[in-house]
Amino acid sequence: MGSTERISNVAKRVAKWHRAGHQMVVVPSAMSGETNRLLGLAKELAPSLMSEAYHRELDMLASTGEQASSALLAIALQAIGIESISYAGWQVAIKTNSAFTKARIESIEDQKVLSDLNQGRVVIITGFQGVDEHGNITTLGRGGSDTSAVAVAAALKAKECLIYTDVDGVYTTDPRVVPQAKRLATVSFEEMLEMASMGSKVLQIRSVEFAGKYQVPLRVLSSFTPWDIDLEEEARSGTLISFEEDEKMEQAVVSGIAFNRDEAKISVLGVPDKPGIAYQILGAVAQANIEVDMIIQNISKDGKTDFSFTVHRNDYAKTLEILKTKVIPDLGASEVVGDTQTCKVSIVGIGMRSHVGIASKMFQTLSQEGINIQMISTSEIKTSVVIDEKYMELAVRALHKTFDLDQVQA
Ligand code: ASP
Ligand code: MG
Protein backbone atom coordinates (compact mmCIF):
# COMPACT_ATOMS: atom_id res chain seq x y z
CA MET A 1 0.00 0.00 0.00
CA GLY A 2 2.48 2.60 -1.19
CA SER A 3 0.19 5.32 -2.52
CA THR A 4 -3.45 6.33 -2.75
CA GLU A 5 -3.50 4.74 -6.17
CA ARG A 6 -2.41 1.41 -4.72
CA ILE A 7 -4.90 1.73 -1.87
CA SER A 8 -7.60 2.33 -4.41
CA ASN A 9 -6.52 -0.85 -6.24
CA VAL A 10 -6.68 -2.80 -2.99
CA ALA A 11 -10.21 -1.46 -2.52
CA LYS A 12 -11.18 -2.63 -6.01
CA ARG A 13 -9.74 -6.07 -5.32
CA VAL A 14 -11.64 -6.32 -2.03
CA ALA A 15 -14.80 -5.13 -3.75
CA LYS A 16 -14.42 -7.89 -6.34
CA TRP A 17 -14.39 -10.54 -3.60
CA HIS A 18 -17.18 -8.84 -1.67
CA ARG A 19 -19.43 -8.64 -4.74
CA ALA A 20 -18.81 -12.33 -5.40
CA GLY A 21 -20.52 -13.00 -2.09
CA HIS A 22 -17.60 -13.35 0.34
CA GLN A 23 -17.70 -11.76 3.76
CA MET A 24 -14.42 -9.89 3.96
CA VAL A 25 -12.26 -8.69 6.84
CA VAL A 26 -9.15 -6.85 5.69
CA VAL A 27 -6.08 -6.30 7.85
CA PRO A 28 -3.81 -3.66 6.29
CA SER A 29 -0.23 -2.99 7.21
CA ALA A 30 1.14 0.54 7.10
CA MET A 31 1.88 2.31 3.82
CA SER A 32 5.28 1.15 2.66
CA GLY A 33 8.20 2.76 4.47
CA GLU A 34 5.91 4.39 7.02
CA THR A 35 6.84 2.25 10.05
CA ASN A 36 10.54 2.84 9.36
CA ARG A 37 9.92 6.54 8.97
CA LEU A 38 8.08 6.80 12.28
CA LEU A 39 10.61 4.73 14.22
CA GLY A 40 13.38 6.80 12.62
CA LEU A 41 11.89 9.98 14.06
CA ALA A 42 11.93 8.47 17.55
CA LYS A 43 15.53 7.43 17.09
CA GLU A 44 16.51 10.96 16.07
CA LEU A 45 15.08 12.32 19.29
CA ALA A 46 16.35 9.57 21.56
CA PRO A 47 19.17 7.52 20.07
CA SER A 48 19.86 5.58 23.24
CA LEU A 49 16.66 5.26 25.27
CA MET A 50 15.82 1.68 26.26
CA SER A 51 13.23 2.12 29.00
CA GLU A 52 9.77 0.59 29.18
CA ALA A 53 8.30 4.10 29.10
CA TYR A 54 10.10 4.70 25.80
CA HIS A 55 8.97 1.41 24.29
CA ARG A 56 5.41 2.26 25.22
CA GLU A 57 5.69 5.45 23.19
CA LEU A 58 7.26 3.62 20.26
CA ASP A 59 4.12 1.49 20.05
CA MET A 60 1.88 4.53 20.39
CA LEU A 61 3.83 6.01 17.47
CA ALA A 62 4.36 3.04 15.15
CA SER A 63 0.74 1.90 15.41
CA THR A 64 -0.43 5.10 13.72
CA GLY A 65 0.85 3.83 10.37
CA GLU A 66 -1.74 1.07 10.35
CA GLN A 67 -4.47 3.37 11.64
CA ALA A 68 -3.94 5.69 8.67
CA SER A 69 -3.87 2.96 6.03
CA SER A 70 -6.96 1.29 7.53
CA ALA A 71 -9.02 4.45 7.44
CA LEU A 72 -7.82 5.22 3.91
CA LEU A 73 -8.83 1.75 2.73
CA ALA A 74 -12.29 2.12 4.29
CA ILE A 75 -12.63 5.50 2.55
CA ALA A 76 -11.51 4.02 -0.77
CA LEU A 77 -14.15 1.29 -0.44
CA GLN A 78 -16.86 3.78 0.43
CA ALA A 79 -15.84 5.80 -2.61
CA ILE A 80 -16.74 2.86 -4.86
CA GLY A 81 -20.03 2.20 -3.14
CA ILE A 82 -19.04 -0.52 -0.64
CA GLU A 83 -20.14 -0.09 2.95
CA SER A 84 -17.04 -0.30 5.07
CA ILE A 85 -15.82 0.46 8.58
CA SER A 86 -12.33 0.45 10.08
CA TYR A 87 -11.32 -0.37 13.65
CA ALA A 88 -8.10 0.16 15.56
CA GLY A 89 -6.88 -2.81 17.60
CA TRP A 90 -8.33 -1.49 20.86
CA GLN A 91 -11.73 -0.95 19.29
CA VAL A 92 -12.15 -4.60 18.26
CA ALA A 93 -10.58 -5.42 20.83
CA ILE A 94 -7.38 -7.33 20.03
CA LYS A 95 -6.00 -7.97 23.50
CA THR A 96 -2.29 -8.54 23.99
CA ASN A 97 0.17 -8.80 26.81
CA SER A 98 2.18 -5.70 27.75
CA ALA A 99 5.48 -6.55 26.04
CA PHE A 100 5.79 -3.29 24.11
CA THR A 101 7.24 -3.61 20.57
CA LYS A 102 6.86 -7.40 20.70
CA ALA A 103 3.48 -8.06 22.27
CA ARG A 104 1.63 -11.34 21.92
CA ILE A 105 -2.05 -11.61 21.14
CA GLU A 106 -4.07 -13.13 23.97
CA SER A 107 -7.62 -12.86 22.70
CA ILE A 108 -9.80 -11.24 20.07
CA GLU A 109 -13.41 -10.21 20.57
CA ASP A 110 -15.54 -11.06 17.59
CA GLN A 111 -19.04 -9.70 18.28
CA LYS A 112 -18.69 -6.27 16.74
CA VAL A 113 -16.94 -7.59 13.64
CA LEU A 114 -19.46 -10.39 13.11
CA SER A 115 -22.35 -8.01 13.45
CA ASP A 116 -20.84 -5.64 10.86
CA LEU A 117 -20.22 -8.54 8.49
CA ASN A 118 -23.78 -9.72 8.87
CA GLN A 119 -24.95 -6.25 7.93
CA GLY A 120 -23.03 -6.51 4.68
CA ARG A 121 -20.07 -4.33 5.59
CA VAL A 122 -16.44 -4.90 4.75
CA VAL A 123 -14.55 -4.67 8.04
CA ILE A 124 -11.03 -3.24 8.15
CA ILE A 125 -8.91 -4.01 11.20
CA THR A 126 -5.51 -2.42 11.79
CA GLY A 127 -2.66 -4.90 11.54
CA PHE A 128 0.36 -4.94 13.86
CA GLN A 129 -1.37 -3.50 16.92
CA GLY A 130 -3.41 -4.42 19.96
CA VAL A 131 -4.22 -3.21 23.42
CA ASP A 132 -3.01 -4.47 26.80
CA GLU A 133 -5.06 -4.89 29.96
CA HIS A 134 -4.29 -1.32 31.03
CA GLY A 135 -5.49 0.18 27.76
CA ASN A 136 -1.99 0.81 26.37
CA ILE A 137 -1.53 0.41 22.63
CA THR A 138 0.93 -2.38 21.84
CA THR A 139 2.55 -3.63 18.63
CA LEU A 140 3.42 -7.18 17.65
CA GLY A 141 6.96 -6.83 16.29
CA ARG A 142 8.12 -5.98 12.78
CA GLY A 143 6.08 -7.74 10.12
CA GLY A 144 3.40 -8.28 12.76
CA SER A 145 0.44 -7.52 10.53
CA ASP A 146 0.79 -11.07 9.14
CA THR A 147 0.17 -12.34 12.64
CA SER A 148 -2.75 -9.95 13.13
CA ALA A 149 -4.38 -11.25 9.96
CA VAL A 150 -3.97 -14.89 10.91
CA ALA A 151 -5.22 -14.25 14.45
CA VAL A 152 -8.29 -12.45 13.16
CA ALA A 153 -8.92 -15.28 10.67
CA ALA A 154 -8.65 -17.80 13.52
CA ALA A 155 -10.98 -15.84 15.79
CA LEU A 156 -13.60 -15.50 13.06
CA LYS A 157 -13.09 -19.07 11.82
CA ALA A 158 -12.46 -17.75 8.32
CA LYS A 159 -12.36 -20.17 5.41
CA GLU A 160 -8.95 -18.94 4.31
CA CYS A 161 -6.49 -16.20 5.18
CA LEU A 162 -4.98 -14.54 2.11
CA ILE A 163 -1.70 -12.73 2.68
CA TYR A 164 -0.97 -10.32 -0.15
CA THR A 165 2.71 -9.51 -0.18
CA ASP A 166 5.53 -8.43 -2.44
CA VAL A 167 6.46 -11.95 -3.52
CA ASP A 168 4.08 -14.24 -5.37
CA GLY A 169 4.45 -17.24 -3.10
CA VAL A 170 6.83 -19.58 -1.33
CA TYR A 171 9.75 -20.85 -3.42
CA THR A 172 11.87 -24.00 -3.26
CA THR A 173 14.69 -21.68 -2.23
CA ASP A 174 15.60 -18.01 -2.58
CA PRO A 175 15.44 -17.22 -6.33
CA ARG A 176 18.24 -14.70 -5.84
CA VAL A 177 20.56 -17.61 -5.04
CA VAL A 178 19.08 -20.15 -7.43
CA PRO A 179 17.36 -18.53 -10.41
CA GLN A 180 15.77 -21.90 -11.27
CA ALA A 181 13.90 -21.97 -7.95
CA LYS A 182 10.22 -22.63 -8.47
CA ARG A 183 7.10 -21.54 -6.68
CA LEU A 184 5.38 -24.23 -4.64
CA ALA A 185 1.64 -24.51 -5.24
CA THR A 186 1.26 -25.96 -1.76
CA VAL A 187 3.57 -26.38 1.18
CA SER A 188 2.67 -28.12 4.41
CA PHE A 189 2.40 -26.05 7.52
CA GLU A 190 5.31 -27.90 9.14
CA GLU A 191 7.57 -27.31 6.16
CA MET A 192 6.63 -23.65 6.14
CA LEU A 193 7.49 -23.37 9.80
CA GLU A 194 10.94 -24.81 9.12
CA MET A 195 11.48 -22.56 6.14
CA ALA A 196 10.18 -19.45 7.90
CA SER A 197 12.44 -20.02 10.87
CA MET A 198 15.40 -20.13 8.53
CA GLY A 199 15.64 -17.07 6.49
CA SER A 200 12.63 -17.43 4.23
CA LYS A 201 11.32 -13.95 5.03
CA VAL A 202 7.98 -14.44 3.33
CA LEU A 203 5.90 -14.43 6.50
CA GLN A 204 6.46 -13.42 10.09
CA ILE A 205 7.19 -16.76 11.75
CA ARG A 206 4.71 -16.13 14.51
CA SER A 207 1.92 -15.91 11.97
CA VAL A 208 2.80 -19.41 10.77
CA GLU A 209 2.81 -20.73 14.35
CA PHE A 210 -0.58 -19.13 14.87
CA ALA A 211 -1.94 -20.66 11.69
CA GLY A 212 -0.72 -24.06 12.90
CA LYS A 213 -2.23 -23.73 16.33
CA TYR A 214 -5.65 -22.78 15.00
CA GLN A 215 -5.48 -24.67 11.70
CA VAL A 216 -6.06 -21.58 9.58
CA PRO A 217 -5.43 -22.30 5.90
CA LEU A 218 -3.08 -19.58 4.70
CA ARG A 219 -2.35 -18.49 1.16
CA VAL A 220 0.57 -16.25 0.23
CA LEU A 221 -0.03 -14.34 -2.98
CA SER A 222 1.21 -11.31 -4.82
CA SER A 223 -0.20 -7.86 -4.22
CA PHE A 224 1.18 -6.86 -7.62
CA THR A 225 -1.20 -8.91 -9.77
CA PRO A 226 -3.81 -6.65 -11.40
CA TRP A 227 -6.86 -6.27 -9.16
CA ASP A 228 -9.21 -7.26 -11.97
CA ILE A 229 -7.86 -10.74 -12.73
CA ASP A 230 -10.44 -13.50 -12.63
CA LEU A 231 -11.42 -14.26 -9.04
CA GLU A 232 -11.12 -18.03 -9.44
CA GLU A 233 -7.65 -17.59 -10.86
CA GLU A 234 -6.63 -15.32 -8.00
CA ALA A 235 -8.05 -17.80 -5.49
CA ARG A 236 -5.74 -20.51 -6.86
CA SER A 237 -2.62 -18.37 -7.22
CA GLY A 238 0.37 -18.09 -4.88
CA THR A 239 1.21 -20.80 -2.37
CA LEU A 240 -1.29 -22.53 -0.09
CA ILE A 241 0.08 -23.48 3.31
CA SER A 242 -2.02 -26.51 4.03
CA PHE A 243 -2.70 -29.03 6.74
CA GLU A 244 -3.59 -31.84 4.43
CA GLU A 245 -0.64 -34.05 3.87
CA ASP A 246 -2.42 -36.27 1.36
CA GLU A 247 -2.15 -33.60 -1.30
CA LYS A 248 1.58 -33.83 -0.93
CA MET A 249 1.89 -37.57 -1.26
CA GLU A 250 2.88 -37.53 -4.89
CA GLN A 251 5.29 -34.67 -4.49
CA ALA A 252 8.99 -34.43 -3.98
CA VAL A 253 10.65 -35.86 -0.89
CA VAL A 254 12.46 -32.60 -0.33
CA SER A 255 10.32 -29.49 -0.83
CA GLY A 256 12.87 -26.79 -0.27
CA ILE A 257 16.39 -25.75 0.60
CA ALA A 258 16.59 -23.20 3.39
CA PHE A 259 19.63 -21.30 4.55
CA ASN A 260 20.60 -18.88 7.22
CA ARG A 261 23.67 -16.69 7.11
CA ASP A 262 23.28 -15.52 10.67
CA GLU A 263 24.51 -18.61 12.46
CA ALA A 264 27.65 -18.39 14.61
CA LYS A 265 29.35 -21.42 16.12
CA ILE A 266 30.79 -21.63 19.62
CA SER A 267 32.74 -24.54 21.12
CA VAL A 268 33.65 -25.08 24.73
CA LEU A 269 36.67 -27.38 24.73
CA GLY A 270 37.95 -29.77 27.36
CA VAL A 271 34.83 -29.81 29.51
CA PRO A 272 34.85 -32.39 32.32
CA ASP A 273 32.36 -35.08 31.27
CA LYS A 274 29.96 -35.24 34.18
CA PRO A 275 26.24 -34.68 34.85
CA GLY A 276 25.06 -31.09 34.57
CA ILE A 277 27.52 -29.62 32.10
CA ALA A 278 24.98 -28.96 29.34
CA TYR A 279 22.83 -27.23 31.88
CA GLN A 280 25.72 -25.20 33.26
CA ILE A 281 26.73 -23.98 29.80
CA LEU A 282 23.37 -23.48 28.15
CA GLY A 283 21.53 -22.43 31.30
CA ALA A 284 23.75 -19.37 31.58
CA VAL A 285 23.18 -18.56 27.90
CA ALA A 286 19.42 -18.99 28.21
CA GLN A 287 19.37 -16.75 31.25
CA ALA A 288 20.71 -13.96 29.07
CA ASN A 289 17.74 -14.53 26.73
CA ILE A 290 19.99 -15.84 23.98
CA GLU A 291 18.49 -18.46 21.73
CA VAL A 292 20.55 -21.51 20.96
CA ASP A 293 19.98 -23.45 17.80
CA MET A 294 22.12 -26.52 17.05
CA ILE A 295 23.85 -28.35 19.89
CA ILE A 296 26.49 -31.05 19.72
CA GLN A 297 28.37 -32.87 22.46
CA ASN A 298 31.12 -35.28 21.56
CA ILE A 299 31.89 -38.54 23.31
CA SER A 300 34.50 -38.05 25.96
CA LYS A 301 38.17 -38.87 25.91
CA ASP A 302 40.08 -39.07 29.19
CA GLY A 303 37.04 -37.73 31.04
CA LYS A 304 36.89 -34.57 28.93
CA THR A 305 34.55 -33.62 26.14
CA ASP A 306 33.90 -30.79 23.67
CA PHE A 307 30.58 -29.03 23.56
CA SER A 308 29.48 -26.95 20.56
CA PHE A 309 26.40 -24.96 19.73
CA THR A 310 25.21 -22.15 17.48
CA VAL A 311 23.64 -18.78 18.25
CA HIS A 312 22.54 -15.83 16.15
CA ARG A 313 25.53 -13.84 14.95
CA ASN A 314 24.31 -10.77 16.83
CA ASP A 315 24.48 -12.72 20.09
CA TYR A 316 27.94 -14.12 19.44
CA ALA A 317 30.04 -11.59 21.37
CA LYS A 318 27.68 -11.58 24.31
CA THR A 319 27.64 -15.37 24.48
CA LEU A 320 31.44 -15.61 24.45
CA GLU A 321 31.60 -13.02 27.19
CA ILE A 322 29.13 -14.96 29.37
CA LEU A 323 31.01 -18.20 28.86
CA LYS A 324 34.38 -16.68 29.60
CA THR A 325 33.35 -14.78 32.71
CA LYS A 326 30.60 -16.89 34.25
CA VAL A 327 30.88 -20.45 32.99
CA ILE A 328 34.46 -21.43 32.27
CA PRO A 329 35.87 -20.51 35.70
CA ASP A 330 33.32 -22.76 37.48
CA LEU A 331 33.35 -25.51 34.91
CA GLY A 332 37.07 -25.95 34.57
CA ALA A 333 36.92 -26.16 30.78
CA SER A 334 40.12 -25.44 28.93
CA GLU A 335 39.02 -23.01 26.26
CA VAL A 336 36.17 -21.34 24.35
CA VAL A 337 36.52 -20.88 20.62
CA GLY A 338 34.11 -19.64 18.02
CA ASP A 339 33.51 -18.78 14.42
CA THR A 340 31.13 -16.27 12.89
CA GLN A 341 31.99 -17.11 9.29
CA THR A 342 29.50 -19.98 9.29
CA CYS A 343 26.05 -20.55 7.91
CA LYS A 344 23.36 -23.16 8.11
CA VAL A 345 21.90 -24.96 5.11
CA SER A 346 18.91 -27.26 5.45
CA ILE A 347 16.85 -29.57 3.32
CA VAL A 348 13.19 -29.57 4.31
CA GLY A 349 10.41 -31.96 3.37
CA ILE A 350 7.67 -33.98 5.05
CA GLY A 351 8.47 -36.70 2.52
CA MET A 352 11.66 -37.36 4.51
CA ARG A 353 9.54 -39.14 7.09
CA SER A 354 8.83 -42.00 4.75
CA HIS A 355 12.09 -42.14 2.80
CA VAL A 356 15.49 -43.33 3.96
CA GLY A 357 18.84 -42.18 2.69
CA ILE A 358 17.87 -38.57 2.12
CA ALA A 359 20.40 -37.19 4.60
CA SER A 360 23.20 -39.27 3.13
CA LYS A 361 22.31 -38.00 -0.33
CA MET A 362 22.75 -34.51 1.08
CA PHE A 363 26.16 -35.38 2.56
CA GLN A 364 27.22 -36.99 -0.71
CA THR A 365 26.34 -33.84 -2.65
CA LEU A 366 28.31 -31.66 -0.26
CA SER A 367 31.31 -33.97 -0.38
CA GLN A 368 31.28 -33.94 -4.18
CA GLU A 369 31.50 -30.17 -3.99
CA GLY A 370 34.38 -30.43 -1.50
CA ILE A 371 32.39 -28.71 1.25
CA ASN A 372 33.31 -29.59 4.80
CA ILE A 373 30.44 -30.16 7.23
CA GLN A 374 31.05 -28.71 10.69
CA MET A 375 27.84 -29.66 12.46
CA ILE A 376 24.76 -31.70 11.64
CA SER A 377 21.31 -31.75 13.13
CA THR A 378 18.22 -33.60 12.05
CA SER A 379 14.52 -33.68 12.72
CA GLU A 380 11.78 -35.77 11.15
CA ILE A 381 11.36 -33.37 8.27
CA LYS A 382 14.70 -31.56 8.09
CA THR A 383 18.43 -32.11 7.93
CA SER A 384 20.67 -29.12 8.61
CA VAL A 385 24.39 -28.64 8.35
CA VAL A 386 26.67 -25.84 9.47
CA ILE A 387 29.33 -25.04 6.87
CA ASP A 388 31.76 -22.25 6.06
CA GLU A 389 29.69 -19.32 4.84
CA LYS A 390 31.77 -18.89 1.72
CA TYR A 391 30.32 -22.15 0.38
CA MET A 392 26.72 -21.31 1.13
CA GLU A 393 25.55 -20.47 -2.38
CA LEU A 394 27.42 -23.40 -3.86
CA ALA A 395 25.82 -25.77 -1.36
CA VAL A 396 22.32 -24.41 -1.91
CA ARG A 397 22.63 -24.65 -5.69
CA ALA A 398 24.04 -28.17 -5.62
CA LEU A 399 21.36 -29.43 -3.22
CA HIS A 400 18.60 -27.75 -5.19
CA LYS A 401 19.75 -29.72 -8.20
CA THR A 402 20.32 -33.02 -6.38
CA PHE A 403 16.78 -33.04 -5.05
CA ASP A 404 15.25 -32.23 -8.45
CA LEU A 405 13.94 -28.84 -7.46
CA ASP A 406 15.27 -26.95 -10.48
CA GLN A 407 12.48 -25.63 -12.62
CA VAL A 408 11.92 -27.50 -15.84
CA GLN A 409 13.09 -25.05 -18.48
CA ALA A 410 10.57 -24.45 -21.24
N1 ASP B 1 4.02 -2.01 9.59
C1 ASP B 1 4.63 -3.00 10.41
C2 ASP B 1 6.09 -3.21 10.03
O1 ASP B 1 6.59 -2.60 9.13
C3 ASP B 1 3.88 -4.29 10.38
C4 ASP B 1 3.87 -4.98 9.04
O2 ASP B 1 4.07 -4.37 8.00
O3 ASP B 1 3.60 -6.18 9.02
O4 ASP B 1 6.75 -4.00 10.65
MG1 MG C 1 4.68 -7.24 6.07
Side-chain angles (χ1 to χ4, degrees), residues 62-94:
S63 62
T64 61
E66 271 70 13
Q67 192 168 324
S69 59
S70 294
L72 288 170
L73 182 57
I75 290 168
L77 280 160
Q78 290 167 7
I80 53 173
I82 306 273
E83 244 194 275
S84 176
I85 182 164
S86 72
Y87 294 115
W90 63 270
Q91 291 174 308
V92 172
I94 297 177

Side-chain angles (χ1 to χ4, degrees), residues 278-292 309 311 315 318-319 322-323 326-327 330:
Y279 174 63
Q280 258 184 293
I281 296 172
L282 297 180
V285 176
Q287 232 169 42
N289 259 323
I290 294 171
E291 244 178 88
V292 168
F309 59 95
V311 295
D315 291 326
K318 193 165 160 203
T319 309
I322 291 169
L323 292 175
K326 301 211 178 104
V327 177
D330 295 345

Side-chain angles (χ1 to χ4, degrees), residues 46-59 98 100-102:
S48 60
L49 279 186
M50 292 291 282
S51 61
E52 161 127 347
Y54 170 66
H55 284 116
R56 180 191 181 278
E57 301 311 324
L58 284 184
D59 282 359
S98 302
F100 296 119
T101 73
K102 46 176 192 283

Side-chain angles (χ1 to χ4, degrees), residues 21-268:
H22 295 276
Q23 290 189 320
M24 303 288 291
V25 177
V26 188
V27 180
S29 61
M31 291 175 76
S32 55
E34 180 64 3
T35 310
N36 285 341
R37 187 185 73 85
L38 292 166
L39 294 174
L41 295 175
K43 195 131 213 162
E44 266 177 44
L45 290 169
S48 60
L49 279 186
M50 292 291 282
S51 61
E52 161 127 347
Y54 170 66
H55 284 116
R56 180 191 181 278
E57 301 311 324
L58 284 184
D59 282 359
M60 182 77 179
L61 173 69
S63 62
T64 61
E66 271 70 13
Q67 192 168 324
S69 59
S70 294
L72 288 170
L73 182 57
I75 290 168
L77 280 160
Q78 290 167 7
I80 53 173
I82 306 273
E83 244 194 275
S84 176
I85 182 164
S86 72
Y87 294 115
W90 63 270
Q91 291 174 308
V92 172
I94 297 177
K95 295 194 175 145
T96 71
N97 65 13
S98 302
F100 296 119
T101 73
K102 46 176 192 283
R104 285 183 176 261
I105 295 177
E106 287 174 344
S107 66
I108 297 183
E109 280 164 32
D110 60 6
Q111 298 89 334
K112 203 186 310 193
V113 178
L114 288 173
S115 131
D116 282 320
L117 287 174
N118 290 333
Q119 290 171 63
R121 295 188 185 114
V122 170
V123 180
I124 320 284
I125 299 176
T126 51
F128 186 48
Q129 58 166 272
V131 62
D132 77 358
E133 58 175 334
H134 309 293
N136 297 306
I137 291 177
T138 56
T139 69
L140 309 178
R142 299 308 305 271
S145 52
D146 296 343
T147 300
S148 307
V150 176
V152 166
L156 299 172
K157 303 187 180 60
K159 211 171 121 210
E160 203 170 288
C161 177
L162 307 173
I163 307 251
Y164 289 86
T165 180
D166 51 3
V167 293
D168 67 352
V170 179
Y171 278 72
T172 49
T173 195
D174 187 338
R176 283 168 302 189
V177 173
V178 185
Q180 298 89 339
K182 58 187 171 203
R183 183 171 55 79
L184 296 160
T186 64
V187 63
S188 78
F189 153 73
E190 289 165 286
E191 290 167 333
M192 187 62 209
L193 203 55
E194 295 288 5
M195 293 195 208
S197 65
M198 273 174 322
S200 161
K201 300 266 153 47
V202 178
L203 290 173
Q204 196 196 37
I205 181 153
R206 219 184 298 155
S207 72
V208 182
E209 288 166 2
F210 229 102
K213 189 158 166 203
Y214 296 98
Q215 305 266 302
V216 181
L218 252 187
R219 185 178 293 275
V220 176
L221 61 177
S222 168
S223 57
F224 293 102
T225 49
W227 68 268
D228 55 353
I229 67 164
D230 177 61
L231 188 134
E232 292 304 318
E233 190 188 331
E234 185 168 321
R236 281 191 311 268
S237 69
T239 300
L240 177 69
I241 297 160
S242 83
F243 296 90
E244 308 197 355
E245 300 204 355
D246 304 355
E247 290 173 28
K248 299 273 303 176
M249 291 291 260
E250 296 304 314
Q251 290 191 20
V253 180
V254 170
S255 301
I257 315 292
F259 54 86
N260 185 351
R261 298 174 206 265
D262 301 327
E263 208 99 351
K265 184 179 75 170
I266 293 177
S267 300
V268 188

